[in-house]
PDB file of all heavy atoms in Angstrom:
ATOM      1  N   ASN A  24      -0.255  25.977  17.607  1.00 98.00           N
ATOM      2  CA  ASN A  24      -1.511  26.542  18.101  1.00 98.00           C
ATOM      3  C   ASN A  24      -2.063  27.650  17.208  1.00 98.00           C
ATOM      4  O   ASN A  24      -3.263  27.887  17.193  1.00 98.00           O
ATOM      5  CB  ASN A  24      -1.336  27.075  19.525  1.00 98.00           C
ATOM      6  CG  ASN A  24      -1.189  25.953  20.532  1.00 98.00           C
ATOM      7  OD1 ASN A  24      -1.856  24.931  20.443  1.00 98.00           O
ATOM      8  ND2 ASN A  24      -0.298  26.136  21.499  1.00 98.00           N
ATOM      9  N   SER A  25      -1.172  28.305  16.498  1.00 98.00           N
ATOM     10  CA  SER A  25      -1.611  29.405  15.645  1.00 98.00           C
ATOM     11  C   SER A  25      -2.002  28.941  14.243  1.00 98.00           C
ATOM     12  O   SER A  25      -2.380  29.762  13.406  1.00 98.00           O
ATOM     13  CB  SER A  25      -0.505  30.463  15.517  1.00 98.00           C
ATOM     14  OG  SER A  25      -0.124  30.925  16.800  1.00 98.00           O
ATOM     15  N   ASN A  97      15.235  31.299   8.329  1.00 98.00           N
ATOM     16  CA  ASN A  97      15.165  32.664   8.844  1.00 98.00           C
ATOM     17  C   ASN A  97      15.038  32.694  10.374  1.00 98.00           C
ATOM     18  O   ASN A  97      14.253  33.454  10.931  1.00 98.00           O
ATOM     19  CB  ASN A  97      14.022  33.441   8.182  1.00 98.00           C
ATOM     20  CG  ASN A  97      14.223  34.930   8.244  1.00 98.00           C
ATOM     21  OD1 ASN A  97      15.343  35.399   8.420  1.00 98.00           O
ATOM     22  ND2 ASN A  97      13.150  35.676   8.141  1.00 98.00           N
ATOM     23  N   LYS A 105      10.598  24.014  19.887  1.00 98.00           N
ATOM     24  CA  LYS A 105       9.513  24.962  19.651  1.00 98.00           C
ATOM     25  C   LYS A 105       8.142  24.323  19.946  1.00 98.00           C
ATOM     26  O   LYS A 105       7.269  24.959  20.540  1.00 98.00           O
ATOM     27  CB  LYS A 105       9.592  25.417  18.189  1.00 98.00           C
ATOM     28  CG  LYS A 105       8.806  26.665  17.825  1.00 98.00           C
ATOM     29  CD  LYS A 105       9.151  27.076  16.386  1.00 98.00           C
ATOM     30  CE  LYS A 105       8.001  27.760  15.696  1.00 98.00           C
ATOM     31  NZ  LYS A 105       7.781  29.135  16.141  1.00 98.00           N
ATOM     32  N   ALA A 108       7.470  24.033  23.644  1.00 98.00           N
ATOM     33  CA  ALA A 108       7.118  25.308  24.275  1.00 98.00           C
ATOM     34  C   ALA A 108       5.632  25.616  24.120  1.00 98.00           C
ATOM     35  O   ALA A 108       5.081  26.420  24.865  1.00 98.00           O
ATOM     36  CB  ALA A 108       7.956  26.440  23.682  1.00 98.00           C
ATOM     37  N   LYS A 112       2.032  20.799  29.745  1.00 93.00           N
ATOM     38  CA  LYS A 112       3.043  19.929  30.355  1.00 93.00           C
ATOM     39  C   LYS A 112       2.606  18.468  30.473  1.00 93.00           C
ATOM     40  O   LYS A 112       3.433  17.585  30.631  1.00 93.00           O
ATOM     41  CB  LYS A 112       3.420  20.465  31.744  1.00 93.00           C
ATOM     42  CG  LYS A 112       4.380  21.645  31.689  1.00 93.00           C
ATOM     43  CD  LYS A 112       5.069  21.877  33.024  1.00 93.00           C
ATOM     44  CE  LYS A 112       4.155  22.546  34.029  1.00 93.00           C
ATOM     45  NZ  LYS A 112       4.118  24.012  33.903  1.00 93.00           N
ATOM     46  N   PHE A 118       6.253  15.221  24.464  1.00 98.00           N
ATOM     47  CA  PHE A 118       7.544  15.293  25.145  1.00 98.00           C
ATOM     48  C   PHE A 118       8.399  14.081  24.799  1.00 98.00           C
ATOM     49  O   PHE A 118       9.600  14.197  24.562  1.00 98.00           O
ATOM     50  CB  PHE A 118       7.355  15.418  26.654  1.00 98.00           C
ATOM     51  CG  PHE A 118       7.088  16.829  27.105  1.00 98.00           C
ATOM     52  CD1 PHE A 118       5.804  17.361  27.053  1.00 98.00           C
ATOM     53  CD2 PHE A 118       8.113  17.635  27.550  1.00 98.00           C
ATOM     54  CE1 PHE A 118       5.559  18.668  27.457  1.00 98.00           C
ATOM     55  CE2 PHE A 118       7.883  18.940  27.955  1.00 98.00           C
ATOM     56  CZ  PHE A 118       6.602  19.458  27.903  1.00 98.00           C
ATOM     57  N   ARG A 122      12.053  14.200  23.077  1.00 98.00           N
ATOM     58  CA  ARG A 122      13.214  13.614  23.768  1.00 98.00           C
ATOM     59  C   ARG A 122      13.928  12.622  22.878  1.00 98.00           C
ATOM     60  O   ARG A 122      15.149  12.515  22.897  1.00 98.00           O
ATOM     61  CB  ARG A 122      12.754  12.890  25.045  1.00 98.00           C
ATOM     62  CG  ARG A 122      12.505  13.814  26.191  1.00 98.00           C
ATOM     63  CD  ARG A 122      12.092  13.049  27.445  1.00 98.00           C
ATOM     64  NE  ARG A 122      11.276  13.903  28.285  1.00 98.00           N
ATOM     65  CZ  ARG A 122      10.090  13.584  28.780  1.00 98.00           C
ATOM     66  NH1 ARG A 122       9.573  12.389  28.561  1.00 98.00           N
ATOM     67  NH2 ARG A 122       9.417  14.437  29.520  1.00 98.00           N
ATOM     68  N   GLU A 126      17.846  12.739  22.197  1.00 98.00           N
ATOM     69  CA  GLU A 126      18.725  11.618  22.534  1.00 98.00           C
ATOM     70  C   GLU A 126      19.554  11.191  21.330  1.00 98.00           C
ATOM     71  O   GLU A 126      20.737  10.855  21.458  1.00 98.00           O
ATOM     72  CB  GLU A 126      17.895  10.426  23.030  1.00 98.00           C
ATOM     73  CG  GLU A 126      17.392  10.564  24.449  1.00 98.00           C
ATOM     74  CD  GLU A 126      18.534  10.689  25.449  1.00 98.00           C
ATOM     75  OE1 GLU A 126      19.464   9.864  25.417  1.00 98.00           O
ATOM     76  OE2 GLU A 126      18.491  11.639  26.275  1.00 98.00           O
ATOM     77  N   GLN A 143      45.574  14.219  26.148  1.00 69.00           N
ATOM     78  CA  GLN A 143      45.494  14.044  27.593  1.00 69.00           C
ATOM     79  C   GLN A 143      46.346  15.091  28.281  1.00 69.00           C
ATOM     80  O   GLN A 143      47.417  15.397  27.792  1.00 69.00           O
ATOM     81  CB  GLN A 143      46.004  12.647  27.981  1.00 69.00           C
ATOM     82  CG  GLN A 143      45.415  11.515  27.174  1.00 69.00           C
ATOM     83  CD  GLN A 143      43.976  11.234  27.504  1.00 69.00           C
ATOM     84  OE1 GLN A 143      43.512  11.631  28.578  1.00 69.00           O
ATOM     85  NE2 GLN A 143      43.241  10.580  26.622  1.00 69.00           N
ATOM     86  N   VAL A 146      40.321  18.821  29.811  1.00 81.00           N
ATOM     87  CA  VAL A 146      39.692  19.688  30.802  1.00 81.00           C
ATOM     88  C   VAL A 146      38.434  19.008  31.338  1.00 81.00           C
ATOM     89  O   VAL A 146      38.184  18.975  32.532  1.00 81.00           O
ATOM     90  CB  VAL A 146      39.297  21.043  30.172  1.00 81.00           C
ATOM     91  CG1 VAL A 146      38.674  21.940  31.231  1.00 81.00           C
ATOM     92  CG2 VAL A 146      40.503  21.686  29.537  1.00 81.00           C
ATOM     93  N   THR A 149      35.158  12.743  29.173  1.00 93.00           N
ATOM     94  CA  THR A 149      34.409  12.502  27.931  1.00 93.00           C
ATOM     95  C   THR A 149      32.918  12.665  28.140  1.00 93.00           C
ATOM     96  O   THR A 149      32.225  13.283  27.329  1.00 93.00           O
ATOM     97  CB  THR A 149      34.717  11.090  27.387  1.00 93.00           C
ATOM     98  OG1 THR A 149      36.113  10.996  27.130  1.00 93.00           O
ATOM     99  CG2 THR A 149      33.956  10.847  26.086  1.00 93.00           C
ATOM    100  N   MET A 151      31.353  14.481  30.336  1.00 97.00           N
ATOM    101  CA  MET A 151      31.009  15.893  30.491  1.00 97.00           C
ATOM    102  C   MET A 151      31.180  16.649  29.183  1.00 97.00           C
ATOM    103  O   MET A 151      30.451  17.600  28.910  1.00 97.00           O
ATOM    104  CB  MET A 151      31.850  16.538  31.591  1.00 97.00           C
ATOM    105  CG  MET A 151      31.336  16.203  32.981  1.00 97.00           C
ATOM    106  SD  MET A 151      32.346  16.982  34.262  1.00 97.00           S
ATOM    107  CE  MET A 151      31.565  18.582  34.365  1.00 97.00           C
ATOM    108  N   SER A 168      17.862  32.010  17.443  1.00 98.00           N
ATOM    109  CA  SER A 168      16.486  32.337  17.058  1.00 98.00           C
ATOM    110  C   SER A 168      15.972  33.555  17.825  1.00 98.00           C
ATOM    111  O   SER A 168      15.131  34.296  17.327  1.00 98.00           O
ATOM    112  CB  SER A 168      15.562  31.134  17.257  1.00 98.00           C
ATOM    113  OG  SER A 168      15.068  31.082  18.555  1.00 98.00           O
ATOM    114  N   VAL A 169      16.482  33.772  19.021  1.00 98.00           N
ATOM    115  CA  VAL A 169      16.112  34.981  19.763  1.00 98.00           C
ATOM    116  C   VAL A 169      16.711  36.222  19.102  1.00 98.00           C
ATOM    117  O   VAL A 169      16.033  37.232  18.927  1.00 98.00           O
ATOM    118  CB  VAL A 169      16.573  34.892  21.239  1.00 98.00           C
ATOM    119  CG1 VAL A 169      16.477  36.255  21.924  1.00 98.00           C
ATOM    120  CG2 VAL A 169      15.756  33.859  22.000  1.00 98.00           C
ATOM    121  N   TYR A 170      17.980  36.100  18.703  1.00 98.00           N
ATOM    122  CA  TYR A 170      18.680  37.256  18.130  1.00 98.00           C
ATOM    123  C   TYR A 170      18.540  37.340  16.613  1.00 98.00           C
ATOM    124  O   TYR A 170      18.998  38.308  16.013  1.00 98.00           O
ATOM    125  CB  TYR A 170      20.163  37.220  18.514  1.00 98.00           C
ATOM    126  CG  TYR A 170      20.406  37.616  19.954  1.00 98.00           C
ATOM    127  CD1 TYR A 170      20.428  36.660  20.969  1.00 98.00           C
ATOM    128  CD2 TYR A 170      20.577  38.952  20.304  1.00 98.00           C
ATOM    129  CE1 TYR A 170      20.629  37.023  22.298  1.00 98.00           C
ATOM    130  CE2 TYR A 170      20.788  39.324  21.612  1.00 98.00           C
ATOM    131  CZ  TYR A 170      20.818  38.359  22.601  1.00 98.00           C
ATOM    132  OH  TYR A 170      21.022  38.725  23.907  1.00 98.00           O
ATOM    133  N   ILE A 182      33.904  27.599  20.502  1.00 98.00           N
ATOM    134  CA  ILE A 182      34.051  27.061  21.855  1.00 98.00           C
ATOM    135  C   ILE A 182      34.263  25.555  21.791  1.00 98.00           C
ATOM    136  O   ILE A 182      35.158  25.008  22.445  1.00 98.00           O
ATOM    137  CB  ILE A 182      32.811  27.394  22.708  1.00 98.00           C
ATOM    138  CG1 ILE A 182      32.707  28.909  22.910  1.00 98.00           C
ATOM    139  CG2 ILE A 182      32.870  26.672  24.055  1.00 98.00           C
ATOM    140  CD1 ILE A 182      31.370  29.366  23.476  1.00 98.00           C
ATOM    141  N   ILE A 189      42.304  20.769  23.368  1.00 66.00           N
ATOM    142  CA  ILE A 189      43.035  21.280  24.514  1.00 66.00           C
ATOM    143  C   ILE A 189      44.497  20.871  24.477  1.00 66.00           C
ATOM    144  O   ILE A 189      44.839  19.695  24.474  1.00 66.00           O
ATOM    145  CB  ILE A 189      42.430  20.743  25.834  1.00 66.00           C
ATOM    146  CG1 ILE A 189      40.956  21.007  25.875  1.00 66.00           C
ATOM    147  CG2 ILE A 189      43.153  21.344  27.020  1.00 66.00           C
ATOM    148  CD1 ILE A 189      40.589  22.448  25.845  1.00 66.00           C
ATOM    149  N   PRO A 191      47.077  21.778  27.063  1.00 44.00           N
ATOM    150  CA  PRO A 191      47.046  22.473  28.344  1.00 44.00           C
ATOM    151  C   PRO A 191      48.100  23.543  28.520  1.00 44.00           C
ATOM    152  O   PRO A 191      47.866  24.538  29.170  1.00 44.00           O
ATOM    153  CB  PRO A 191      47.270  21.339  29.355  1.00 44.00           C
ATOM    154  CG  PRO A 191      46.818  20.116  28.636  1.00 44.00           C
ATOM    155  CD  PRO A 191      47.117  20.338  27.192  1.00 44.00           C
ATOM    156  N   ARG A 195      47.569  30.746  25.031  1.00 41.00           N
ATOM    157  CA  ARG A 195      46.238  31.202  24.589  1.00 41.00           C
ATOM    158  C   ARG A 195      45.995  32.592  25.153  1.00 41.00           C
ATOM    159  O   ARG A 195      46.408  32.900  26.259  1.00 41.00           O
ATOM    160  CB  ARG A 195      45.147  30.276  25.106  1.00 41.00           C
ATOM    161  CG  ARG A 195      44.987  29.039  24.264  1.00 41.00           C
ATOM    162  CD  ARG A 195      43.651  28.406  24.499  1.00 41.00           C
ATOM    163  NE  ARG A 195      43.542  27.209  23.686  1.00 41.00           N
ATOM    164  CZ  ARG A 195      44.175  26.082  23.942  1.00 41.00           C
ATOM    165  NH1 ARG A 195      44.965  25.998  24.989  1.00 41.00           N
ATOM    166  NH2 ARG A 195      44.024  25.042  23.154  1.00 41.00           N
ATOM    167  N   SER A 197      44.211  35.109  27.158  1.00 38.00           N
ATOM    168  CA  SER A 197      43.356  34.802  28.302  1.00 38.00           C
ATOM    169  C   SER A 197      42.623  36.023  28.823  1.00 38.00           C
ATOM    170  O   SER A 197      41.838  35.933  29.738  1.00 38.00           O
ATOM    171  CB  SER A 197      44.188  34.188  29.423  1.00 38.00           C
ATOM    172  OG  SER A 197      45.321  34.995  29.663  1.00 38.00           O
TER     173      SER A 197
ATOM    174  N   ASN B  24      -0.804  31.829  23.490  1.00 98.00           N
ATOM    175  CA  ASN B  24      -1.851  31.581  22.501  1.00 98.00           C
ATOM    176  C   ASN B  24      -2.978  30.695  23.037  1.00 98.00           C
ATOM    177  O   ASN B  24      -4.106  30.780  22.558  1.00 98.00           O
ATOM    178  CB  ASN B  24      -1.260  30.932  21.240  1.00 98.00           C
ATOM    179  CG  ASN B  24      -0.435  31.911  20.438  1.00 98.00           C
ATOM    180  OD1 ASN B  24      -0.787  33.074  20.300  1.00 98.00           O
ATOM    181  ND2 ASN B  24       0.701  31.447  19.913  1.00 98.00           N
ATOM    182  N   SER B  25      -2.657  29.870  24.001  1.00 98.00           N
ATOM    183  CA  SER B  25      -3.669  28.957  24.537  1.00 98.00           C
ATOM    184  C   SER B  25      -4.454  29.578  25.685  1.00 98.00           C
ATOM    185  O   SER B  25      -5.331  28.931  26.253  1.00 98.00           O
ATOM    186  CB  SER B  25      -3.011  27.663  25.020  1.00 98.00           C
ATOM    187  OG  SER B  25      -2.278  27.071  23.976  1.00 98.00           O
ATOM    188  N   ASN B  97       7.768  23.294  37.934  1.00 98.00           N
ATOM    189  CA  ASN B  97       7.583  21.957  37.367  1.00 98.00           C
ATOM    190  C   ASN B  97       8.071  21.898  35.914  1.00 98.00           C
ATOM    191  O   ASN B  97       7.422  21.315  35.060  1.00 98.00           O
ATOM    192  CB  ASN B  97       6.113  21.522  37.477  1.00 98.00           C
ATOM    193  CG  ASN B  97       5.969  20.022  37.410  1.00 98.00           C
ATOM    194  OD1 ASN B  97       6.906  19.290  37.715  1.00 98.00           O
ATOM    195  ND2 ASN B  97       4.804  19.561  36.986  1.00 98.00           N
ATOM    196  N   LYS B 105      10.177  30.866  25.913  1.00 98.00           N
ATOM    197  CA  LYS B 105       8.892  30.232  25.632  1.00 98.00           C
ATOM    198  C   LYS B 105       7.965  31.176  24.849  1.00 98.00           C
ATOM    199  O   LYS B 105       7.285  30.755  23.909  1.00 98.00           O
ATOM    200  CB  LYS B 105       8.258  29.853  26.970  1.00 98.00           C
ATOM    201  CG  LYS B 105       7.125  28.848  26.912  1.00 98.00           C
ATOM    202  CD  LYS B 105       6.737  28.444  28.346  1.00 98.00           C
ATOM    203  CE  LYS B 105       5.279  28.105  28.494  1.00 98.00           C
ATOM    204  NZ  LYS B 105       4.929  26.792  27.951  1.00 98.00           N
ATOM    205  N   ALA B 108       8.952  31.419  21.219  1.00 97.00           N
ATOM    206  CA  ALA B 108       8.573  30.247  20.427  1.00 97.00           C
ATOM    207  C   ALA B 108       7.132  30.330  19.952  1.00 97.00           C
ATOM    208  O   ALA B 108       6.739  29.652  19.009  1.00 97.00           O
ATOM    209  CB  ALA B 108       8.782  28.969  21.240  1.00 97.00           C
ATOM    210  N   LYS B 112       7.468  35.582  13.604  1.00 92.00           N
ATOM    211  CA  LYS B 112       8.828  36.137  13.511  1.00 92.00           C
ATOM    212  C   LYS B 112       8.849  37.646  13.294  1.00 92.00           C
ATOM    213  O   LYS B 112       9.857  38.305  13.537  1.00 92.00           O
ATOM    214  CB  LYS B 112       9.595  35.451  12.372  1.00 92.00           C
ATOM    215  CG  LYS B 112      10.123  34.080  12.761  1.00 92.00           C
ATOM    216  CD  LYS B 112      11.212  33.592  11.804  1.00 92.00           C
ATOM    217  CE  LYS B 112      10.650  33.104  10.491  1.00 92.00           C
ATOM    218  NZ  LYS B 112      10.220  31.711  10.497  1.00 92.00           N
ATOM    219  N   PHE B 118      10.431  40.169  20.449  1.00 98.00           N
ATOM    220  CA  PHE B 118      11.828  39.748  20.353  1.00 98.00           C
ATOM    221  C   PHE B 118      12.744  40.730  21.075  1.00 98.00           C
ATOM    222  O   PHE B 118      13.665  40.332  21.778  1.00 98.00           O
ATOM    223  CB  PHE B 118      12.236  39.604  18.882  1.00 98.00           C
ATOM    224  CG  PHE B 118      11.836  38.284  18.287  1.00 98.00           C
ATOM    225  CD1 PHE B 118      10.550  38.084  17.792  1.00 98.00           C
ATOM    226  CD2 PHE B 118      12.728  37.227  18.244  1.00 98.00           C
ATOM    227  CE1 PHE B 118      10.169  36.859  17.253  1.00 98.00           C
ATOM    228  CE2 PHE B 118      12.358  35.998  17.704  1.00 98.00           C
ATOM    229  CZ  PHE B 118      11.076  35.823  17.208  1.00 98.00           C
ATOM    230  N   ARG B 122      15.224  39.810  24.122  1.00 98.00           N
ATOM    231  CA  ARG B 122      16.669  40.055  23.989  1.00 98.00           C
ATOM    232  C   ARG B 122      17.178  40.896  25.152  1.00 98.00           C
ATOM    233  O   ARG B 122      18.291  40.690  25.637  1.00 98.00           O
ATOM    234  CB  ARG B 122      16.961  40.803  22.675  1.00 98.00           C
ATOM    235  CG  ARG B 122      16.964  39.914  21.474  1.00 98.00           C
ATOM    236  CD  ARG B 122      17.319  40.685  20.202  1.00 98.00           C
ATOM    237  NE  ARG B 122      16.719  40.012  19.054  1.00 98.00           N
ATOM    238  CZ  ARG B 122      15.977  40.595  18.135  1.00 98.00           C
ATOM    239  NH1 ARG B 122      15.718  41.894  18.206  1.00 98.00           N
ATOM    240  NH2 ARG B 122      15.458  39.902  17.140  1.00 98.00           N
ATOM    241  N   GLU B 126      20.322  39.837  27.355  1.00 98.00           N
ATOM    242  CA  GLU B 126      21.505  40.687  27.459  1.00 98.00           C
ATOM    243  C   GLU B 126      21.855  40.956  28.921  1.00 98.00           C
ATOM    244  O   GLU B 126      23.025  40.986  29.294  1.00 98.00           O
ATOM    245  CB  GLU B 126      21.278  42.021  26.737  1.00 98.00           C
ATOM    246  CG  GLU B 126      21.379  41.940  25.234  1.00 98.00           C
ATOM    247  CD  GLU B 126      22.753  41.486  24.754  1.00 98.00           C
ATOM    248  OE1 GLU B 126      23.763  42.052  25.200  1.00 98.00           O
ATOM    249  OE2 GLU B 126      22.813  40.529  23.953  1.00 98.00           O
ATOM    250  N   GLN B 143      45.943  31.337  34.888  1.00 70.00           N
ATOM    251  CA  GLN B 143      46.496  31.460  33.540  1.00 70.00           C
ATOM    252  C   GLN B 143      47.281  30.205  33.206  1.00 70.00           C
ATOM    253  O   GLN B 143      47.960  29.685  34.071  1.00 70.00           O
ATOM    254  CB  GLN B 143      47.440  32.675  33.465  1.00 70.00           C
ATOM    255  CG  GLN B 143      46.867  33.934  34.019  1.00 70.00           C
ATOM    256  CD  GLN B 143      45.827  34.557  33.127  1.00 70.00           C
ATOM    257  OE1 GLN B 143      45.796  34.245  31.950  1.00 70.00           O
ATOM    258  NE2 GLN B 143      44.968  35.410  33.671  1.00 70.00           N
ATOM    259  N   VAL B 146      41.677  27.958  29.157  1.00 81.00           N
ATOM    260  CA  VAL B 146      41.311  27.230  27.946  1.00 81.00           C
ATOM    261  C   VAL B 146      40.590  28.170  26.993  1.00 81.00           C
ATOM    262  O   VAL B 146      40.851  28.209  25.799  1.00 81.00           O
ATOM    263  CB  VAL B 146      40.385  26.049  28.292  1.00 81.00           C
ATOM    264  CG1 VAL B 146      40.042  25.284  27.033  1.00 81.00           C
ATOM    265  CG2 VAL B 146      41.025  25.169  29.329  1.00 81.00           C
ATOM    266  N   THR B 149      38.371  35.181  27.988  1.00 93.00           N
ATOM    267  CA  THR B 149      37.284  35.660  28.838  1.00 93.00           C
ATOM    268  C   THR B 149      35.997  35.855  28.042  1.00 93.00           C
ATOM    269  O   THR B 149      34.921  35.458  28.481  1.00 93.00           O
ATOM    270  CB  THR B 149      37.672  36.983  29.522  1.00 93.00           C
ATOM    271  OG1 THR B 149      38.834  36.751  30.318  1.00 93.00           O
ATOM    272  CG2 THR B 149      36.549  37.474  30.426  1.00 93.00           C
ATOM    273  N   MET B 151      35.062  34.357  25.301  1.00 97.00           N
ATOM    274  CA  MET B 151      34.466  33.073  24.942  1.00 97.00           C
ATOM    275  C   MET B 151      33.894  32.374  26.165  1.00 97.00           C
ATOM    276  O   MET B 151      32.915  31.648  26.071  1.00 97.00           O
ATOM    277  CB  MET B 151      35.489  32.184  24.241  1.00 97.00           C
ATOM    278  CG  MET B 151      35.672  32.555  22.780  1.00 97.00           C
ATOM    279  SD  MET B 151      36.884  31.511  21.964  1.00 97.00           S
ATOM    280  CE  MET B 151      35.851  30.150  21.467  1.00 97.00           C
ATOM    281  N   SER B 168      13.602  21.448  30.656  1.00 98.00           N
ATOM    282  CA  SER B 168      12.157  21.499  30.427  1.00 98.00           C
ATOM    283  C   SER B 168      11.709  20.407  29.459  1.00 98.00           C
ATOM    284  O   SER B 168      10.590  19.927  29.531  1.00 98.00           O
ATOM    285  CB  SER B 168      11.729  22.885  29.938  1.00 98.00           C
ATOM    286  OG  SER B 168      11.822  22.983  28.547  1.00 98.00           O
ATOM    287  N   VAL B 169      12.605  20.007  28.565  1.00 98.00           N
ATOM    288  CA  VAL B 169      12.275  18.891  27.662  1.00 98.00           C
ATOM    289  C   VAL B 169      12.225  17.578  28.452  1.00 98.00           C
ATOM    290  O   VAL B 169      11.312  16.779  28.284  1.00 98.00           O
ATOM    291  CB  VAL B 169      13.305  18.786  26.513  1.00 98.00           C
ATOM    292  CG1 VAL B 169      13.155  17.461  25.771  1.00 98.00           C
ATOM    293  CG2 VAL B 169      13.154  19.951  25.545  1.00 98.00           C
ATOM    294  N   TYR B 170      13.212  17.397  29.337  1.00 98.00           N
ATOM    295  CA  TYR B 170      13.317  16.144  30.076  1.00 98.00           C
ATOM    296  C   TYR B 170      12.552  16.159  31.401  1.00 98.00           C
ATOM    297  O   TYR B 170      12.468  15.162  32.079  1.00 98.00           O
ATOM    298  CB  TYR B 170      14.787  15.797  30.323  1.00 98.00           C
ATOM    299  CG  TYR B 170      15.482  15.278  29.087  1.00 98.00           C
ATOM    300  CD1 TYR B 170      16.144  16.139  28.216  1.00 98.00           C
ATOM    301  CD2 TYR B 170      15.449  13.922  28.768  1.00 98.00           C
ATOM    302  CE1 TYR B 170      16.765  15.669  27.072  1.00 98.00           C
ATOM    303  CE2 TYR B 170      16.064  13.443  27.630  1.00 98.00           C
ATOM    304  CZ  TYR B 170      16.723  14.325  26.786  1.00 98.00           C
ATOM    305  OH  TYR B 170      17.335  13.858  25.657  1.00 98.00           O
ATOM    306  N   ILE B 189      40.305  25.907  35.736  1.00 66.00           N
ATOM    307  CA  ILE B 189      41.284  25.157  34.963  1.00 66.00           C
ATOM    308  C   ILE B 189      42.658  25.197  35.614  1.00 66.00           C
ATOM    309  O   ILE B 189      43.249  26.257  35.795  1.00 66.00           O
ATOM    310  CB  ILE B 189      41.417  25.745  33.543  1.00 66.00           C
ATOM    311  CG1 ILE B 189      40.060  25.836  32.890  1.00 66.00           C
ATOM    312  CG2 ILE B 189      42.363  24.899  32.711  1.00 66.00           C
ATOM    313  CD1 ILE B 189      39.361  24.553  32.694  1.00 66.00           C
ATOM    314  N   PRO B 191      45.727  23.567  34.223  1.00 44.00           N
ATOM    315  CA  PRO B 191      46.034  22.822  33.007  1.00 44.00           C
ATOM    316  C   PRO B 191      46.763  21.518  33.204  1.00 44.00           C
ATOM    317  O   PRO B 191      46.573  20.583  32.451  1.00 44.00           O
ATOM    318  CB  PRO B 191      46.908  23.797  32.209  1.00 44.00           C
ATOM    319  CG  PRO B 191      46.537  25.140  32.723  1.00 44.00           C
ATOM    320  CD  PRO B 191      46.193  24.945  34.161  1.00 44.00           C
ATOM    321  N   ARG B 195      43.128  14.836  35.749  1.00 41.00           N
ATOM    322  CA  ARG B 195      41.672  14.722  35.573  1.00 41.00           C
ATOM    323  C   ARG B 195      41.344  13.417  34.894  1.00 41.00           C
ATOM    324  O   ARG B 195      42.071  12.965  34.017  1.00 41.00           O
ATOM    325  CB  ARG B 195      41.148  15.869  34.698  1.00 41.00           C
ATOM    326  CG  ARG B 195      40.953  17.145  35.467  1.00 41.00           C
ATOM    327  CD  ARG B 195      40.053  18.075  34.718  1.00 41.00           C
ATOM    328  NE  ARG B 195      39.921  19.300  35.487  1.00 41.00           N
ATOM    329  CZ  ARG B 195      40.871  20.229  35.567  1.00 41.00           C
ATOM    330  NH1 ARG B 195      41.996  20.052  34.938  1.00 41.00           N
ATOM    331  NH2 ARG B 195      40.673  21.312  36.274  1.00 41.00           N
ATOM    332  N   SER B 197      39.994  11.338  32.174  1.00 38.00           N
ATOM    333  CA  SER B 197      39.790  11.783  30.801  1.00 38.00           C
ATOM    334  C   SER B 197      39.060  10.754  29.947  1.00 38.00           C
ATOM    335  O   SER B 197      38.762  10.985  28.801  1.00 38.00           O
ATOM    336  CB  SER B 197      41.130  12.123  30.157  1.00 38.00           C
ATOM    337  OG  SER B 197      42.020  11.039  30.325  1.00 38.00           O
TER     338      SER B 197
END
Side-chain angles (χ1 to χ4, degrees):
Chain A
N24 288 321
S25 303
N97 203 21
K105 196 172 150 75
K112 282 198 284 276
F118 277 83
R122 280 182 207 128
E126 283 299 310
Q143 311 288 340
V146 181
T149 300
M151 281 180 86
S168 87
V169 167
Y170 285 91
I182 295 168
I189 307 298
R195 279 199 181 74
S197 50
Chain B
N24 288 321
S25 304
N97 202 24
K105 197 172 149 76
K112 281 197 284 274
F118 277 83
R122 281 183 207 129
E126 283 299 310
Q143 311 286 340
V146 181
T149 300
M151 281 180 86
S168 87
V169 167
Y170 285 91
I189 307 298
R195 279 198 181 75
S197 52

